[in-house]
Amino acid sequence: MTCREAIDVLADYVDGTMPADLAAELERHLAGCDPCRAYLATYRTTRALVSAAAAVEMPDEMKTRLRRFLAAQQRR
Ligand SMILES: [Zn+2]
């Protein structure tokens, strides 16, 4: 699994709507990938704040910003 693939499915992972075999594959990727773990932590925090505030989906603009955050992590 690549980082891009991991990020594409992270929302389902956090929601718990992901098939178990895919979740296992994602967890294997996360175990060896600091940027994706950081992304997951940020996503969870943001999602908790968003759902507490309005119970709405994360806006596209927020996803774009999180992707940029990940890209910046990978450049180090
Ligand atoms: Zn990754």
Side-chain angles (χ1 to χ4, degrees):
M1 181 180 282
T2 66
C3 288
R4 180 172 290 274
E5 287 167 344
I7 285 162
D8 280 345
V9 299
L10 263 180
D12 290 343
Y13 179 71
V14 171
D15 286 344
T17 57
M18 176 184 284
D21 56 342
L22 185 56
E25 199 181 322
L26 177 61
E27 279 165 3
R28 270 199 302 277
H29 178 88
L30 290 172
C33 187
D34 287 343
C36 283
R37 276 205 304 276
Y39 180 91
L40 176 61
T42 304
Y43 182 84
R44 277 200 168 121
T45 304
T46 306
R47 207 180 147 77
L49 291 173
V50 167
S51 57
V56 295
E57 284 293 301
M58 183 185 287
D60 283 346
E61 197 235 325
M62 182 70 74
K63 288 183 189 164
T64 302
R65 260 193 280 161
L66 285 169
R67 284 203 168 95
R68 257 187 238 133
F69 165 80
L70 177 69
Q73 296 280 315
Q74 288 175 323
R75 272 199 296 275
R76 284 190 312 190

